[in-house]
């Protein structure tokens, strides 16, 4: 397990950099100006990047990245010294491949892919030299997990497959050259396992009655009778990071006896622990580890922004040099060779277009690889301002505010006069918003809105007190945090009380529904994307492979097997207050969503129809938990943009052909949004 805490987020990246439909080229060429600021085409923000996700093969001989083939994102590969000789090695024609990674032997490119958003991911591999593609896990209704790779056993990986029992992932040794799968151990009752560099399963994690995890030693595929470490719900951020290459040291994130997680190194033989890193502001996040030994070299602290702290002085020298060369913004490393002589690096300047480079460490040389979205190079992108907002009980909410161009002439993060605002709520809820380029923030700001993203209580990364303050607070203190953030924005002069919309996906969609039902007059309108309306039915229909996380979800939300828990869940469900809705609502849903079933949207729409309350409901038959296909994402955002413009008065790019070119089915309420019915009619 790379991350042991089983928080099972219902997350949705609203504007992920995924593929672009065929109409995008025309949209990119469009010259759209409303007022003094050019209107950035939606296709430029939400369509295909030219390239993305570059990786180096471990031996440094190959470069790979994601790029479109006939409008669908696929995997490309090129010799590292000849990027111009790139060729596509996958041929997905229906759905974008979400990403890829290299085998240890540098001979196969690996990727996962599901069917129409059902999240039953299969593992595939492509032989780099021959182009032959293999389906390593040819099982229906099965979800594969990567459990471990190795610096020693280069032709093999350990994968988890739930084809025996859909609730549990059994560990299999997969030979990447022959495709042979060999059962290593059954996973009954285990939330996950930790493997060493020899691909031995060394640890197993099992949920306990306290809502935490019990950690067991595993030897020769046999799980010990008694746990050697146990956590409660409060300390569920505690868990293993991974072993060093020699298997003698195991790194942990641990929040026990402290608020924020720290990184410890444990001597496996003696059990002695050494504190490696800590920060009182935030849980420690990503680490950089030696590509040969596996030792931690650096760690990230992400409070308002991401700060890298270095244990390895040589690594720090590289980052310092890269920062000077690349300028303002966050430097990140996305790939390293096994010899650690070459890196893929990037810079995120937030309000400028990100660029990706090949870095030769020995020569101290940067070679440009690509700009992911060159059409945005001259676009009017704007800064994102980190802010701290006080909740009514004194809790500090780390948040991010983006303002329209020209609204903040002196650059102090406050507009000269109030503007309409969109409260953009992250999914999870056990996830977080962060600082950096955000396509949704840029889009909405370009349309004339302030955009506020709030890390409400229950968000991860800010310590266990912050996380656990959200336990059983759906629709209560978690929602109060969002209301407090709106009141802060009004008091600061960012917006006016009658010009605020709420929008989000997954939990953010739930928050949008809660906004219109629990606080009916606070928001001018709401956009709900794959949001649950009934928490009882949500928990009753979660995928079977979430079995290990049920206890934790029940502890954090309410236990549907008890009368008390049912009462909590029912009180927090917007469905039962649908008759309170008095403001416009737009709902987007994927028909194949395995996390938040279509019924979650259907039932609140039906409840509103029964009371003759207007609602616009858009269904996508080929999508799951969010909109992966660019024509669908662009199409829904076109609808949302027109909906927000009608509600808040912001700038609008015409619907054009975007809705027709998507698979959108206007299940209800096409007449409630001007022009939608005509725009949706197929030619």
């Amino acid at each position: 397990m790379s991350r042991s805490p089983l928080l099972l987020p219902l997350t949705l990246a609203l504007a992920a950099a995924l593929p672009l439909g065929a109409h995008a080229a025309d949209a990119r060429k469009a010259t759209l100006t409303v007022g003094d600021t050019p209107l950035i085409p939606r296709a430029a923000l939400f369509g295909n990047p030219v390239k993305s996700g570059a990786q180096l093969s471990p031996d440094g001989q190959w470069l790979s990245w994601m790029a479109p083939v006939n409008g669908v994102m696929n995997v490309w590969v090129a010799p590292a010294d000849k990027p111009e000789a790139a060729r596509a090695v996958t041929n997905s024609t229906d759905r974008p491949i979400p990403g890829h990674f290299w085998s240890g032997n540098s001979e196969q490119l690996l990727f996962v892919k599901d069917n129409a958003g059902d999240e039953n991911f299969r593992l595939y591999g492509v032989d780099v030299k021959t182009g032959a593609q293999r389906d390593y896990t040819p099982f229906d209704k099965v979800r594969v997990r990567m459990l471990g790779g190795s610096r020693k056993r280069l032709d093999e990986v350990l994968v988890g497959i739930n084809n025996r029992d859909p609730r549990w992932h059994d560990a299999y040794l997969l030979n990447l050259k022959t495709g042979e799968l060999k059962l290593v151990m059954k996973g009954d009752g285990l939330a996950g396992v930790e493997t060493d560099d020899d691909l031995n399963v060394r640890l197993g994690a099992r949920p306990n009655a306290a809502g935490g995890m019990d950690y067991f030693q595993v030897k020769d595929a046999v799980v010990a009778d008694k746990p050697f470490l146990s956590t409660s719900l409060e300390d569920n951020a505690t868990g293993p990071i991974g072993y060093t290459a020699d298997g003698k040291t195991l790194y942990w994130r641990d929040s026990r006896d402290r608020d924020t997680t720290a990184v410890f190194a444990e001597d496996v033989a003696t059990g002695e622990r050494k504190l490696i890193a800590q920060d009182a502001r935030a849980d420690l996040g990503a680490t950089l580890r030696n590509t040969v030994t596996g030792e931690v070299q650096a760690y990230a602290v992400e409070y308002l922004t991401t700060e890298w702290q270095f244990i390895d002085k040589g690594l720090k020298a590289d980052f310092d040099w890269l920062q000077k060369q690349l300028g303002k913004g966050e430097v990140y490393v996305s790939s390293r060779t096994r010899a650690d002589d070459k890196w893929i690096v990037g810079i995120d300047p937030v309000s400028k277009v990100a660029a990706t480079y090949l870095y030769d460490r020995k020569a101290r040389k940067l070679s440009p690889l690509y700009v992911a979205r060159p059409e945005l190079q001259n676009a009017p992108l704007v800064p994102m301002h980190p802010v701290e907002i006080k909740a009514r009980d004194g809790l500090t909410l780390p948040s991010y505010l983006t303002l329209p161009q020209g609204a903040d002439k002196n650059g102090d993060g406050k507009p000269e006069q109030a503007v309409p605002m969109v409260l953009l709520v992250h999914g999870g809820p056990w996830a977080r918003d962060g600082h950096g380029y955000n396509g949704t923030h840029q889009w909405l700001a370009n349309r004339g809105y302030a955009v506020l993203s709030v890390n409400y209580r229950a968000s991860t990364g800010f310590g266990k007190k912050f996380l656990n303050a959200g336990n059983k607070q759906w629709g209560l203190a978690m929602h109060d945090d969002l209301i407090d953030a709106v009141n802060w924005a009004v008091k600061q002069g960012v917006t006016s009380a009658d010009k605020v919309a709420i929008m989000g996906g997954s939990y953010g969609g739930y928050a949008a529904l809660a906004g219109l039902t629990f606080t009916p007059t606070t928001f001018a309108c709401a956009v709900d994307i794959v949001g649950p309306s009934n928490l009882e039915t949500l928990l009753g229909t979660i995928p079977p492979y979430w079995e290990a996380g049920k206890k934790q979800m029940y502890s954090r939300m309410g236990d549907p097997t008890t009368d008390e828990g049912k009462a909590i869940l029912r009180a927090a469900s917007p469905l039962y207050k649908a008759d309170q809705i008095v403001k416009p609502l737009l709902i987007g849903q994927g028909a194949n969503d395995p996390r938040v079933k279509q019924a979650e949207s259907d039932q609140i729409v039906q409840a509103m129809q029964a009371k003759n309350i207007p609602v616009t409901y858009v269904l996508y038959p080929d999508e799951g938990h969010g909109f992966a296909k660019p024509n669908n994402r662009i199409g829904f955002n076109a609808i949302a943009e027109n909906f927000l413009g009608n509600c808040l008065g912001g700038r609008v790019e015409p619907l054009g052909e975007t809705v027709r070119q998507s698979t959108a089915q206007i299940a209800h309420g096409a007449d409630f949004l001007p022009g939608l019915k005509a725009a949706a009619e197929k030619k």
Side-chain angles (χ1 to χ4, degrees), residues 520-542:
T521 60
T522 297
F523 298 99
C525 56
V527 180
D528 154 35
I529 305 170
V530 297
S533 64
N534 182 342
L535 302 189
E536 286 184 87
T537 53
L538 171 72
L539 291 178
T541 57
I542 60 176

Side-chain angles (χ1 to χ4, degrees), residues 94-169:
D94 59 334
R95 190 168 184 81
I97 293 173
H100 72 284
F101 54 101
W102 280 92
S103 63
N105 60 22
S106 300
E107 296 176 13
Q108 290 90 19
L109 276 165
L110 307 175
F111 64 95
V112 296
K113 190 172 182 290
D114 70 350
N115 181 37
D118 63 6
E119 298 189 17
N120 289 320
F121 290 104
R122 294 185 180 188
L123 176 65
Y124 298 85
V126 179
D127 185 290
V128 177
K129 291 183 180 179
T130 67
Q133 182 171 307
R134 185 193 296 264
D135 181 353
Y136 286 121
T137 56
F139 311 112
D140 292 331
K141 297 182 179 179
V142 167
R143 179 186 175 97
V144 67
R145 287 179 180 171
M146 289 300 301
L147 300 181
S150 172
R151 302 172 186 84
K152 301 174 184 177
R153 303 176 67 169
L154 303 182
D155 296 334
E156 297 168 305
V157 294
L158 207 65
V159 297
I161 306 175
N162 62 333
N163 59 336
R164 180 182 59 86
D165 185 328
R167 298 172 300 170
W168 313 113
H169 282 74

Side-chain angles (χ1 to χ4, degrees), residues 523-607:
F523 298 99
C525 56
V527 180
D528 154 35
I529 305 170
V530 297
S533 64
N534 182 342
L535 302 189
E536 286 184 87
T537 53
L538 171 72
L539 291 178
T541 57
I542 60 176
Y545 47 82
W546 284 18
E547 181 68 26
K550 269 188 179 180
K551 180 62 180 178
Q552 185 185 146
M553 294 184 76
Y554 291 176
S555 298
R556 295 198 184 279
M557 296 174 64
D559 187 342
T561 67
T562 68
D563 290 340
E564 179 187 6
K566 286 180 181 178
I568 292 171
L569 294 169
R570 188 179 182 92
S573 296
L575 176 64
Y576 299 111
K577 294 182 174 64
D579 60 347
Q580 301 296 308
I581 296 175
V582 294
K583 297 298 177 69
L585 172 61
L586 169 65
I587 296 176
Q589 176 70 46
N592 304 313
D593 191 339
R595 306 186 185 202
V596 179
K597 301 286 189 180
Q598 179 184 331
E600 292 298 321
S601 292
D602 288 350
Q603 58 193 352
I604 196 165
V605 169
Q606 291 164 5

